[in-house]
Amino acid sequence: GKGIGSIKWEIDKSAMTAAVGSNVKYLAALEVGTSNMAARPWLSSAVQKVRASLLKGIVFVGKALK
């Protein structure tokens, strides 16, 4: 859909950071909810699914920098 296709990411290797987001405004409302609608998280639930892999990558990079 429109929301899925709008998700972009950016990786800054020198700062060792990554950003994920979208310019589709309703995705923020889905993530956190509104006064008229309960939250239907999509980003935080996706991060939780890959959390273990992310943490392993962070530890690996940290050890490589020592």
Side-chain angles (χ1 to χ4, degrees):
K2 182 179 178 184
I4 299 271
S6 73
I7 299 169
K8 305 289 182 221
W9 62 91
E10 182 178 307
I11 298 172
D12 183 339
K13 291 180 182 178
S14 64
M16 293 191 300
T17 61
V20 178
S22 171
N23 62 354
V24 175
K25 293 182 181 188
Y26 72 83
L27 289 180
L30 284 176
E31 183 69 24
V32 299
T34 68
S35 60
N36 297 313
M37 179 184 76
R40 296 187 348 219
W42 56 275
L43 181 58
S44 59
S45 60
V47 169
Q48 288 303 315
K49 287 180 184 177
V50 297
R51 184 174 188 267
S53 295
L54 290 171
L55 292 174
K56 285 179 186 175
I58 291 168
V59 169
F60 175 77
V61 170
K63 287 179 179 178
L65 293 174
K66 287 184 178 181

